[in-house]
Amino acid sequence: MERIAVLTSGGDAPGMNAAIRAVVKVAASRGVEVLGVRRGYDGLIDGDVQPLTRRLPGGGRLAPTADVETMGSLGGTVLGSTRCPRFLTSDGRLEAARRLRDAGAEGLVVIGGNGSMAGAHAFAVDTGFPVIGIPASIDNDIGLTREALGVDTALNTIIEATDRISDTARSHHRAFIVEVMGRHSGYLAMASAVAAAADAVLLPEQGRSYDEVIAAVADAIRASFATARDKNRVLVIKAEGVDIPTHHLVNEVSAELADLPQVEVRGTVLGHLVRGGSPSFRDRLLAGRFGLTAVEGLVGGATDVMAGWTYGGERGVPTSDPFIRLFALDDVLVETEALMDGTSAVTMDRVRRMEAIQGVLAL
Ligand code: ADP
């Protein structure tokens, strides 16, 4: 294999640039040139590529271009990302493969979320072009990997924000409802609630009705501010996927607590703040490990697979890294569906553990 291409697709996540850098450095070390595809699958169909490796004068060895050297610490994606309706069609995917072959590429690394992995699988099936996925999504909603790129950075951002909110909440004896991203997956809310010592957490996976959500928050606030307990702040973390707008929830809960006029409830939606930022150490390390195993996989003839941080067990193909395996993309997509609809053993275990500590959170 002499030349491969790499792209980022779907929602951006911190660590995407570190993964591009890893792919380029590993490929260059093995004498494989790398083309960066701008704007995800859109750029693939349009043939919008730039070289990410260059030949050094003299011996002709390959090295990363100057922008690759500096990109690893940046959030977002320097190659850009789009949602691409054309890639949903077979014609679009065939055109993309033709463009790649014209550019001399023999393999493709797709860094993206679960939609991008579905696209990579459809691309491999339709065109036979070798492709390997690297999971990147702050929502942690991709099957067969413990974590996707961006999750650790997003969690660090959330706990920094909730620490700041807790400072002001304690000063005024207030209750705060903080909404974090996660339309279909409550993972960020769940994990940050433990780390931030929240008093309650609201997840789409709990399947609570509108009234149950309001009652749960009101109960948590009432119990925390009761004379016998007398906390000085209440923090409730709500996943975006819980289908009540946060300002609405604040109003409903305040009405529910009308008998406690001294209790003030406030809401903050962290939104896209959680998506940006320089990747954490762990996301950079994971990006390096995914990048290494993806390039080794492509060069070794693997295709239609995703590098995943394994839970252990026998599934997937081992790599040179004991904690990373290559999983068939169709298995990844089946497990991703199950993560979303709550039938995955991983989701059930997360919800069970969360329910087990609800009482502890409230203490
Ligand atoms: P993410 O990768 O963050 O989940 P999307 O769901 O928007 O983001 O997917 C990114 C892109 O992947 C889409 O815009 C589309 O081009 C492509 N894609 C998603 N699902 C499929 C599919 N089933 N078949 C082909 N391409 C897909």
Side-chain angles (χ1 to χ4, degrees):
M1 199 166 270
E2 288 181 6
R3 188 178 292 163
I4 61 172
V6 60
L7 62 79
T8 53
S9 167
D12 61 290
M16 281 181 154
N17 291 322
I20 299 168
R21 178 181 65 179
V23 165
V24 173
K25 293 192 88 155
V26 173
S29 75
R30 284 156 172 72
V32 178
E33 293 177 14
V34 183
L35 294 173
V37 181
R38 286 185 280 254
R39 301 181 293 109
Y41 291 134
D42 251 334
L44 199 60
I45 295 173
D46 297 336
D48 187 3
V49 297
Q50 67 183 83
L52 296 179
T53 47
R54 65 199 163 97
R55 294 234 166 248
L56 296 177
R61 279 187 46 229
L62 282 172
T65 55
D67 41 348
V68 173
E69 314 272 5
T70 52
M71 68 169 62
S73 56
L74 303 177
T77 160
V78 296
L79 285 176
S81 181
T82 51
R83 317 264 172 192
C84 174
R86 287 183 292 166
F87 208 70
L88 296 171
T89 69
S90 198
D91 282 351
R93 296 192 288 269
L94 290 169
E95 175 63 13
R98 201 177 61 71
R99 292 285 197 162
L100 275 173
R101 290 193 179 104
D102 286 351
E106 298 165 85
L108 174 67
V109 178
V110 172
I111 304 165
N114 55 43
S116 304
M117 295 303 123
H121 177 56
F123 183 65
V125 169
D126 274 7
T127 68
F129 199 90
V131 58
I132 292 197
I134 291 181
S137 157
I138 63 163
D139 293 342
N140 215 21
D141 54 357
I142 304 175
L144 299 181
T145 187
R146 275 169 186 253
E147 251 173 48
L149 294 179
V151 174
D152 186 63
T153 307
L155 285 170
N156 280 302
T157 305
I158 292 170
I159 61 165
E160 190 190 334
T162 53
D163 282 353
R164 288 169 186 244
I165 287 167
S166 293
D167 286 346
T168 170
R170 279 195 193 98
S171 307
H172 297 277
H173 223 78
R174 279 184 183 138
F176 267 86
I177 301 171
V178 177
E179 181 184 301
V180 301
M181 277 193 166
R183 227 170 299 155
H184 305 289
S185 163
Y187 182 80
L188 286 184
M190 203 181 288
S192 61
V194 176
D199 301 273
V201 60
L202 306 171
L203 314 168
E205 290 90 338
Q206 289 164 327
R208 285 176 172 154
S209 70
Y210 187 92
D211 289 341
E212 284 168 343
V213 169
I214 292 161
V217 177
D219 286 352
I221 295 173
R222 218 178 260 287
S224 302
F225 284 153
T227 319
R229 180 60 182 85
D230 194 24
K231 278 192 183 181
N232 55 14
R233 76 94 162 95
V234 177
L235 175 66
V236 176
I237 299 194
K238 168 187 179 289
E240 183 188 4
V242 173
D243 214 7
I244 307 177
T246 293
H247 67 277
H248 212 86
L249 184 57
V250 167
N251 291 341
E252 294 277 15
V253 170
S254 300
E256 195 75 17
L257 298 174
D259 58 311
L260 301 174
Q262 74 283 13
V263 172
E264 267 186 79
V265 186
R266 298 284 169 94
T268 301
V269 177
L270 296 184
H272 282 77
L273 199 87
V274 173
R275 209 177 254 291
S278 180
S280 65
F281 159 76
R282 202 168 85 190
D283 271 328
R284 295 187 206 190
L285 183 67
L286 194 55
R289 301 171 88 168
F290 284 153
L292 171 72
T293 48
V295 172
E296 284 179 347
L298 263 188
V299 170
T303 182
D304 201 9
V305 291
M306 182 191 85
W309 179 3
T310 174
Y311 285 94
E314 295 306 307
R315 289 178 85 171
V317 176
T319 68
S320 62
D321 185 319
F323 298 102
I324 310 287
R325 284 180 169 246
L326 299 179
F327 296 98
L329 275 169
D330 53 2
D331 289 346
V332 170
L333 299 179
V334 169
E335 178 60 14
T336 298
E337 271 303 309
L339 275 183
M340 306 287 191
D341 67 20
T343 57
S344 158
V346 173
T347 314
M348 287 194 267
D349 185 52
R350 283 177 186 163
V351 173
R352 185 189 54 72
R353 280 188 288 151
M354 213 59 229
E355 275 162 5
I357 63 154
Q358 282 283 3
V360 181
L361 282 181
L363 278 179

